[in-house]
Amino acid sequence: MGLLSEKTTFITGATSGIGKACAEEFAKEGSNLILSARRIEKLNEFAGLLKKHFGIKVYPVKLDVKNYNDVKNTISLLPEEWKKIDILINNAGLARGFTKIYEGNVEHWEEMIDTNIKGLLYVTRQILPLMVARLHGHVINIGSTAGHDVYLNGNVYCATKFAVKALTQAIRIDTLDKNIRVTAVDPGMVLTNFSNIRFSGDSAKADQVYEGVKPLSAEDIASTVLFCVTRPEHVNISEIIVTPIQQASSAYLNRKK
């Protein structure tokens, strides 16, 4: 019996990076999983591997968190047994571009705002009432150190992560009498495809981000999330900031040459 046996966890952005690592970590502990992402073929393949290796139930759903109607319909049409969601991991998010605000690409801004803020809101709006009705649940929002201090050329991305911090606090306050736990897990530098996406596939620029630093892994963050959800029921961890030892904040790094 794992630490999360009989639990159901809903994860957004589950086919790569932190979302995928959380799915694997939670599967090891026996949680059944609702996995959402835009790439359904990759999602189905991953779901099959988890079921085979860990003997859990997995319900994969194609979902674009930016589309409210898609989110609303997908969650409302879940079979009743899958609506008893114990843990929501709002992981889907991205950065696009790395320029001064007066040179910014508006399409990049809109994609970050639509995914990082509105996407989190859309999914939470549909799942949180299910938790409220049961007086039980745990919402995990994957934030960032960028939600605590702004760095050069980070502008709009940082703004979206400041919003995630505020929304996490708001959800906690709004559900204070509903027995629901709410946690922000805010990583610093993590080695995923994050920088490749930010730089539109320019691997040379992406590699420079991690130059001289041993970054965190997606598995490091997944184990942190697991720690939060496996505390005793009366314990709520409001916020965890986790960075590599060489990183003091988004702007301060000790790069080894």
Side-chain angles (χ1 to χ4, degrees), residues 59-130:
Y59 193 93
V61 291
K62 182 178 181 180
L63 184 66
D64 182 355
V65 298
K66 302 190 302 296
N67 185 323
Y68 179 62
N69 287 330
D70 189 17
V71 172
K72 185 177 181 180
N73 292 335
T74 297
I75 294 171
S76 67
L77 292 173
L78 287 173
E80 285 303 313
E81 66 177 295
W82 285 102
K83 287 184 177 178
K84 296 177 181 178
I85 297 166
D86 301 287
I87 302 160
L88 166 61
I89 302 177
N90 278 315
N91 164 73
L94 80 167
R96 285 284 191 196
F98 194 71
T99 61
K100 300 236 177 355
I101 201 163
Y102 56 82
E103 299 171 332
N105 182 318
V106 174
E107 290 182 358
H108 288 169
W109 295 355
E110 290 177 344
E111 186 176 8
M112 288 185 283
I113 291 167
D114 288 348
T115 306
N116 300 357
I117 303 176
K118 292 164 70 175
L120 182 149
L121 278 169
Y122 293 164
V123 174
T124 303
R125 176 62 183 85
Q126 296 305 308
I127 291 179
L128 196 55
L130 303 175

Side-chain angles (χ1 to χ4, degrees), residues 60-213:
V61 291
K62 182 178 181 180
L63 184 66
D64 182 355
V65 298
K66 302 190 302 296
N67 185 323
Y68 179 62
N69 287 330
D70 189 17
V71 172
K72 185 177 181 180
N73 292 335
T74 297
I75 294 171
S76 67
L77 292 173
L78 287 173
E80 285 303 313
E81 66 177 295
W82 285 102
K83 287 184 177 178
K84 296 177 181 178
I85 297 166
D86 301 287
I87 302 160
L88 166 61
I89 302 177
N90 278 315
N91 164 73
L94 80 167
R96 285 284 191 196
F98 194 71
T99 61
K100 300 236 177 355
I101 201 163
Y102 56 82
E103 299 171 332
N105 182 318
V106 174
E107 290 182 358
H108 288 169
W109 295 355
E110 290 177 344
E111 186 176 8
M112 288 185 283
I113 291 167
D114 288 348
T115 306
N116 300 357
I117 303 176
K118 292 164 70 175
L120 182 149
L121 278 169
Y122 293 164
V123 174
T124 303
R125 176 62 183 85
Q126 296 305 308
I127 291 179
L128 196 55
L130 303 175
M131 294 180 172
V132 168
R134 297 170 61 215
L135 296 177
H136 172 79
H138 196 158
V139 177
I140 301 279
N141 290 333
I142 304 298
S144 171
T145 54
H148 296 266
D149 44 73
V150 178
Y151 56 87
L152 183 66
N153 296 329
N155 43 73
V156 175
Y157 173 70
C158 293
T160 67
K161 290 303 183 177
F162 268 81
V164 170
K165 180 181 179 182
L167 289 170
T168 303
Q169 293 172 353
I171 296 165
R172 175 79 173 115
I173 293 166
D174 287 349
T175 61
L176 189 58
D177 62 342
K178 305 301 181 187
N179 199 43
I180 292 169
R181 299 193 288 181
V182 186
T183 303
V185 175
D186 296 345
M189 188 176 286
V190 185
L191 184 57
T192 63
N193 63 350
F194 175 88
S195 290
N196 271 314
I197 293 171
R198 163 167 261 173
F199 295 112
S200 301
D202 188 328
S203 57
K205 283 186 178 180
D207 290 345
Q208 286 177 3
V209 173
Y210 309 105
E211 198 170 86
V213 177

